[in-house]
Amino acid sequence: MNGAPFKNWISYNATARQLREEVLHAPLESILHPSLLRLRWLGAFTLIGHPLFYWIWHYWLPQPYENLWVRCTISALGGLLMLNWFIAEPSQPRTQHLFNAICFIQLPLFFSWMYVMNDRNAVWIASLAAGVLVYFHLTDWRIAAAGSIAGFLLGGAMAMAMAPTADVQPATHLVVLGFGWFAGLMLGISGANLRRERLNHSLATIGIMAHELRTPLSTAGLIADALLIEARRQPEAPRAGKLEKLGQRLSALTRSMNHHIDMQIANARLLQLAQYNDRISARELVADAVAAYPYRSTREAECVEVIVHRDFIFRGARTQFSGVLDNMIQNALRSLQASGSFVSPGDLRIEVGSRGAEGRITISDRGIGIDPAALQRVFEPFFSSDHGTGHGLGLAFCRRVVVAAKGSLRVKSEPAAGAVFTIALPVDSPDNHSDEKENPE
Amino acid sequence: MIFPIYRRPGGVVFLDDDPAYLEMLAEVMPEHWPVRLFTRPSECINYLQQEPPELEADSWRHQEILDRWHSGQGLIAQILQYWREAGCWRFGLAQVCVVDYSMPAMNGLQVLEELATWPGARVLLTGRADEQIAVQAFNSALIEQYVPKQASEISRRLTTSIQRLLDEPWGLQAQTWRASLSREQMAVITAPPIARQLKVLADTLRWVEHVVIGDPFGVLGLDDAGQATWLHLEHESRLDDLADLAACGGLSGADLDDIRAGRSLFDGEFQVAIGSDRSGLVTAIPLGHGMLAALTKVPGDLNPGPDQSFARFLHDRGTRPIDDATPLRSAFAHT
């Protein structure tokens, strides 16, 4: 088959493009709605549900087969979901893999296995179909679709190996199961699509707001210039010095607002990050960001301390990474301000270091810290621990950018003792020459 | 560094849908720029489109001066006459227009497309998001420059960008005036060190308009108060000829030695050109590369005078109103 026309078709056909976007490019959401409460409920449900159903199917409404040990194991796995150390950072790959494994084992795998072990009876085909639908509600539809099929095959094969039966699969069951699987798939896709559309709209709104602010702000910038010009025109006038000072204040203010607006516009594009492959020096990145940040006071500027243990080079989008540093500095400064005490040098420390193939930039502050309940969600778009001033896009943006550069962004925090954000990035070895495209900016 | 053959002040037109922004622009742009402000694209387009015929008529007057020179009339007297009679509205002919990209009715590039026949330089004001569009427009030569609106020190950036465009020579007129210059004369004024010296001289004399001519060789300049000055240019190798000319003009002895030594120049040619018989010695200013210059003020009545001056023109324009589309010529009908 000739590949070129197909490729053309894919790139020009809007539906195909949408499909490709949906299937390949949309980020995986291993845990749908990873709220603390939801995960706890899920854990409790599993923990209690399995012994309960063991009792029902074994004593009250006996079914051909039950297994207490398997029930207890799965129930224990569910208990994991209630543990804090497990769910504290649901955006960590470790947590997500574990969650995926638990879901896979207790839903498609266990249910398929039980279905065959129970002679493919009506109770278990109904349970299996319901389990598939639940699976689609818990995780990304792509994981659920593939996971359920893998579960059917594996669970079925395991059961057949343990208790071979000559019975063939009743066709009616296949239809019921197929119906459940398709319904789950369709609802999963449309749900994912809806969530992304909503996010896109909210982000677009922020972008538009920022643009609208630009117009009066550029006028304000000119007013500052006019004040300065006026002050310098008559330097000997008694109030000229005052006028000059006011002009400079206004000028600095508009500069800082422009800086923040730029940051918000960049953050609001978090779903459409352009892929670039600049070679970035971590030391330079940090130095530039610290120098360019519009501090509100010299005191604030002085509290930032940069320590370079060992510089490293990594690959990523330079402008986006400046945005990441901006966000980090802003968050830390806000947290310091909220702590109420006077800031002193070293209250915001940015360290650059590398060991082997991993480079690290850590941003630690001695601010108010992050509440443990909030800690696990800070990387979600529109989740903010700072209601009233923040809308919670910054860290979501940061994470996207860092993950796009094959790195990871982690946070550790003790309430009232500050927070430490760690950006870990793969070091680009010097012999890795730039045959890839460079950021034209 | 080039010293343009012909130069005069040009106006700057701003188009932006936000009157507050325009008002502040008017406040921070240098006072010696003739500025016009528009909020509505259609009015701005209409205003600028009535300019090319005016410019054409003006260029035609320049061409006529040279045509008459070919048939024997001197250049200096004709140029002085042109300055006295042309009307100072000519200073307001727009040379640069600055257009905001994002406007509700039509975007900045659409406005510039409508202005295809207008000959001046184009600047686009952009937001950060439109930067890509601006780069494309620049690459396809639709605009000369783009300035991001939220750039820090926007007024300084705008001023330098626009000043650079205002300093560019007037293409059509420069072509016309080139005809009076020989190849050697062209080589002299385009040599960078000499061009630099000439620029410094023009700035110290506060010239707003000047023409480089080849017969006699020199620069006729007009300052902002309407006083004209003749800058005589002479090469060392021709000092002996100049001394001979001075001898014919009645100079002798030490004066002729001064000329031969390059300490003074003889302004006979210029005095004849303006119909005066008071020729004499003028202190020579060395420009380097063997070139000498000397300055002679144009006497009294031959000058356009304060009433026809650039300073008067700026004063008469007064404040910078928004959306004032009165044609230049009728606004200065009395001049």
Side-chain angles (χ1 to χ4, degrees):
Chain A
M1 187 185 144
N2 189 353
F6 177 69
K7 264 187 195 159
N8 287 343
W9 178 81
I10 279 281
S11 51
Y12 291 115
N13 186 304
T15 326
R17 206 162 47 225
Q18 213 174 349
L19 205 67
R20 192 178 54 170
E21 178 65 26
E22 206 68 63
V23 178
L24 297 177
H25 294 303
L28 271 185
E29 301 172 89
S30 290
I31 313 176
L32 293 185
H33 321 297
S35 80
L36 204 59
L37 198 65
R38 189 178 149 98
L39 286 174
R40 285 220 171 103
W41 270 106
L42 210 61
F45 191 65
T46 311
L47 191 69
I48 301 164
H50 281 280
L52 180 67
F53 271 95
Y54 175 80
W55 178 79
I56 294 175
W57 295 145
H58 193 67
Y59 296 108
W60 183 25
L61 306 165
Q63 295 298 311
Y65 180 78
E66 262 306 325
N67 186 326
L68 183 60
W69 292 114
V70 173
R71 286 284 190 187
C72 286
T73 314
I74 295 176
S75 172
L77 280 179
L80 282 181
L81 288 178
M82 299 183 70
L83 296 179
N84 248 344
W85 69 262
F86 173 69
I87 48 181
E89 291 184 50
S91 45
Q92 281 302 307
R94 175 183 61 116
T95 314
Q96 296 188 346
H97 295 330
L98 210 56
F99 180 84
N100 282 337
I102 293 173
C103 288
F104 175 74
I105 292 168
Q106 78 156 317
L107 288 163
L109 186 66
F110 173 71
F111 277 64
S112 305
W113 179 70
M114 285 298 275
Y115 164 67
V116 178
M117 293 304 282
N118 280 287
D119 304 331
R120 305 182 171 86
N121 68 3
V123 165
W124 278 97
I125 187 62
S127 303
L128 181 55
V132 166
L133 282 171
V134 172
Y135 195 25
F136 273 100
H137 269 89
L138 294 180
T139 187
D140 194 281
W141 64 270
R142 287 160 292 187
I143 297 177
S148 47
I149 289 179
F152 297 157
L153 297 176
L154 193 60
M158 275 163 59
M160 300 283 270
M162 285 171 70
T165 48
D167 290 1
V168 264
Q169 201 87 354
T172 47
H173 287 195
L174 270 180
V175 173
V176 170
L177 202 54
F179 170 71
W181 188 82
F182 263 107
L185 184 67
M186 288 298 127
L187 293 173
I189 292 177
S190 76
N193 184 272
L194 180 72
R195 278 192 303 279
R196 253 164 359 101
E197 289 280 287
R198 280 207 187 122
L199 186 57
N200 267 335
H201 282 154
S202 318
L203 295 177
T205 313
I206 291 178
I208 291 166
M209 290 264 299
H211 272 293
E212 289 297 319
L213 285 175
R214 272 277 158 72
T215 312
L217 196 57
S218 39
T219 308
L222 284 180
I223 294 176
D225 283 353
L227 276 174
L228 289 174
I229 290 172
E230 198 56 44
R232 282 160 202 172
R233 196 171 283 161
Q234 291 175 309
E236 70 288 340
R239 309 291 285 172
K242 184 86 184 160
L243 206 58
E244 167 120 22
K245 207 175 272 176
L246 288 175
Q248 263 155 3
R249 284 292 284 273
L250 186 54
S251 175
L253 196 65
T254 51
R255 233 192 346 265
S256 128
M257 278 175 79
N258 267 321
H259 185 96
H260 289 303
I261 288 177
D262 281 346
M263 204 158 101
Q264 295 316 337
I265 291 178
N267 288 353
R269 290 196 188 132
L270 88 163
L271 289 189
Q272 311 131 34
L273 292 179
Q275 292 288 324
Y276 289 120
N277 217 351
D278 304 322
R279 279 173 62 88
I280 307 171
S281 144
R283 184 181 52 80
E284 276 171 31
L285 178 78
V286 169
D288 291 348
V290 168
Y293 190 85
Y295 302 96
R296 274 171 302 191
S297 62
T298 41
R299 208 190 175 89
E300 209 176 63
E302 281 162 4
C303 84
V304 184
E305 188 183 358
V306 178
I307 304 167
V308 180
H309 303 293
R310 195 169 161 204
D311 188 21
F312 65 96
I313 306 280
F314 64 97
R315 283 187 174 271
R318 189 186 304 278
T319 42
Q320 291 167 13
F321 266 97
S322 322
V324 169
L325 264 292
D326 264 350
N327 272 300
M328 293 283 166
I329 296 174
Q330 170 169 315
N331 286 343
L333 290 176
R334 283 213 175 130
S335 169
L336 281 172
Q337 198 198 13
S339 73
S341 55
F342 280 116
V343 288
S344 54
D347 275 357
L348 166 51
R349 207 164 64 230
I350 306 181
E351 290 170 78
V352 174
S354 69
R355 184 173 296 160
E358 193 191 63
R360 280 184 175 205
I361 303 174
T362 54
I363 298 98
S364 34
D365 67 73
R366 297 182 193 143
I368 47 168
I370 304 167
D371 187 50
L375 201 58
Q376 47 140 1
R377 297 192 58 196
V378 288
F379 295 112
E380 272 176 61
F382 296 111
F383 181 83
S384 171
S385 55
D386 183 10
H387 297 288
T389 58
H391 53 51
L393 277 186
L395 287 173
F397 166 82
C398 294
R399 160 153 295 212
R400 285 277 162 94
V401 172
V402 173
V403 168
K406 301 191 177 67
S408 69
L409 174 58
R410 280 189 298 268
V411 57
K412 271 190 195 147
S413 175
E414 296 285 324
V420 181
F421 284 87
T422 306
I423 304 171
L425 290 158
V427 174
D428 189 51
S429 50
D431 53 322
N432 198 351
H433 284 302
S434 53
D435 47 352
E436 288 135 301
K437 67 174 178 182
E438 291 278 330
N439 186 347
E441 278 167 66
Chain B
M1 168 65 64
I2 50 164
F3 187 69
I5 296 176
Y6 178 80
R7 193 190 113 91
R8 76 170 174 220
V12 186
V13 169
F14 289 94
L15 170 64
D16 190 301
D17 59 304
D18 182 10
Y21 189 73
L22 281 179
E23 225 171 277
M24 281 302 121
L25 265 182
E27 202 64 48
V28 297
M29 288 298 119
E31 281 175 333
H32 63 273
W33 287 0
V35 166
R36 287 234 179 199
L37 310 163
F38 291 95
T39 54
R40 285 190 287 274
S42 56
E43 274 184 34
C44 178
I45 293 169
N46 286 341
Y47 173 77
L48 285 174
Q49 272 175 346
Q50 46 122 27
E51 279 201 345
E54 298 280 3
L55 197 62
E56 195 68 34
D58 181 63
S59 308
W60 185 242
R61 290 199 66 172
H62 293 216
Q63 188 57 54
E64 278 177 332
I65 294 176
L66 276 148
D67 288 347
R68 283 195 291 268
W69 169 67
H70 282 298
S71 54
Q73 277 193 49
L75 285 172
I76 293 177
Q78 286 196 74
I79 295 168
L80 289 171
Q81 186 191 4
Y82 165 76
W83 279 348
R84 286 192 305 271
E85 291 170 1
C88 51
W89 57 269
R90 72 180 187 279
F91 297 127
L93 284 169
Q95 204 178 352
V96 179
C97 85
V98 183
V99 178
D100 184 28
Y101 176 74
S102 63
M103 289 182 291
M106 65 201 294
N107 72 42
L109 288 180
Q110 287 169 323
V111 172
L112 293 178
E113 265 166 42
E114 297 268 319
L115 288 173
T117 53
W118 182 75
R122 296 147 166 83
V123 177
L124 195 66
L125 282 176
T126 61
R128 177 146 300 182
D130 321 318
E131 218 155 84
Q132 209 50 45
I133 296 164
V135 171
Q136 271 169 22
F138 180 80
N139 286 342
S140 48
L142 274 174
I143 53 173
E144 267 73 20
Q145 192 115 40
Y146 71 90
V147 179
K149 246 181 161 176
Q150 68 279 6
S152 55
E153 304 195 325
I154 166 83
S155 65
R156 196 181 52 78
R157 277 188 70 170
L158 253 186
T159 314
T160 30
S161 299
I162 296 173
Q163 188 61 60
R164 201 164 40 232
L165 293 170
L166 285 175
D167 285 342
E168 299 222 325
W170 288 60
L172 202 58
Q173 280 83 350
Q175 281 295 323
T176 310
W177 290 105
R178 235 204 102 124
S180 85
L181 293 164
S182 71
R183 205 132 53 102
E184 292 76 24
Q185 289 167 339
M186 267 312 279
V188 167
I189 61 153
T190 48
I194 295 178
R196 205 171 299 129
Q197 294 268 11
L198 288 175
K199 184 112 174 60
V200 171
L201 273 175
D203 286 346
T204 21
L205 292 164
R206 299 169 63 91
W207 279 353
V208 290
E209 188 170 6
H210 74 242
V211 199
V212 181
I213 54 175
D215 174 32
F217 188 33
V219 189
L220 195 60
L222 180 64
D223 71 10
D224 57 351
Q227 168 69 51
T229 310
W230 169 244
L231 177 79
H232 180 181
L233 291 172
E234 199 68 75
H235 194 261
E236 284 171 353
S237 61
R238 294 200 51 231
L239 289 177
D240 284 342
D241 297 347
L242 193 66
D244 293 347
L245 195 68
C248 299
L251 295 182
S252 58
D255 290 348
L256 296 182
D257 289 343
D258 276 353
I259 295 174
R260 289 202 183 90
R263 285 189 290 272
S264 302
L265 295 182
F266 175 64
D267 69 351
E269 252 180 323
F270 169 70
Q271 297 296 351
V272 171
I274 59 169
S276 144
D277 50 7
R278 280 185 298 184
S279 54
L281 282 189
V282 195
T283 318
I285 309 161
L287 296 181
H289 285 248
M291 286 305 295
L292 296 168
L295 290 163
T296 314
K297 278 199 170 182
V298 172
D301 284 354
L302 292 173
N303 285 301
D307 284 351
Q308 293 291 328
S309 70
F310 181 55
R312 178 60 183 268
F313 166 77
L314 286 178
H315 177 262
D316 286 356
R317 285 175 65 99
T319 52
R320 297 164 166 176
I322 292 176
D323 281 330
D324 168 22
T326 332
L328 270 177
R329 206 196 253 280
S330 56
F332 290 89
H334 65 283
T335 59

